[in-house]
Amino acid sequence: MQYQLKINGESRTIDAEPGTPLLWVLRDGLELTGTKFGCGVAYCGACTVHIDGEPTRSCQTFVEDAVDSEITTIEGAKDKIAQAVQAAWQEKDVVQCGWCQSGQIMSAIGLLSENPKPTDAEIKDYMQGNACRCATYVRINEAIKLASEKLEA
């Protein structure tokens, strides 16, 4: 079946079977490989994208459920908040293996979009659905706080 999706501000047409996870449409159909497969059950957060501005697990979102929505992947995350988060990630040297980082960054953007000055507890609570195999949680927390400071400046 053919679907029309709005991804990173562009209208894209894709052929996919109904029930295909958005993750596979993005990665295999559209070659937007920044979004990662981690667990397939929406537990780890590696597949996080924004749908209508909300962090969403693309491994458990069917392509047909994303029609008429604005989808933003890590490749399209370029607004002021995204730039602050990405700069903070680099300054705090968060990345080790990198597998979870696109999902971590997309969740951090979601957090700061909702709450520009989160406490440590609020960061931990919001980010708890994102797993990091390398356990860089302390640096992730520090990077989110730094991004928040950058947004204030």
Side-chain angles (χ1 to χ4, degrees), residues 19-79:
T20 301
L22 180 61
L23 171 66
W24 300 120
V25 168
L26 296 170
R27 290 186 57 80
D28 295 344
L30 298 172
E31 298 183 359
L32 294 169
T33 58
T35 304
K36 304 299 184 197
F37 173 77
C39 66
V41 294
Y43 177 76
C44 73
C47 67
T48 301
V49 298
H50 289 184
I51 297 181
D52 295 329
E54 294 293 319
T56 305
R57 304 303 193 244
S58 64
C59 72
Q60 291 293 304
T61 301
F62 298 132
V63 63
E64 61 267 25
D65 295 333
V67 172
D68 297 325
S69 296
E70 175 66 41
I71 302 162
T72 305
T73 68
I74 190 72
E75 292 92 345
K78 297 180 181 177
D79 67 8

Side-chain angles (χ1 to χ4, degrees), residues 77-94 105-106 108-110 112-113 116 139-153:
K78 297 180 181 177
D79 67 8
K80 181 180 178 181
I81 295 172
Q83 290 174 10
V85 170
Q86 292 166 356
W89 240 249
Q90 290 177 342
E91 287 179 43
K92 291 296 181 179
D93 199 23
V94 172
I105 288 169
M106 295 302 285
I109 293 167
L112 293 175
S113 294
R139 292 196 310 255
I140 290 167
N141 190 13
E142 290 173 356
I144 293 170
K145 290 191 290 190
L146 177 59
S148 175
E149 292 169 13
K150 288 178 176 294
L151 292 168
E152 285 185 275

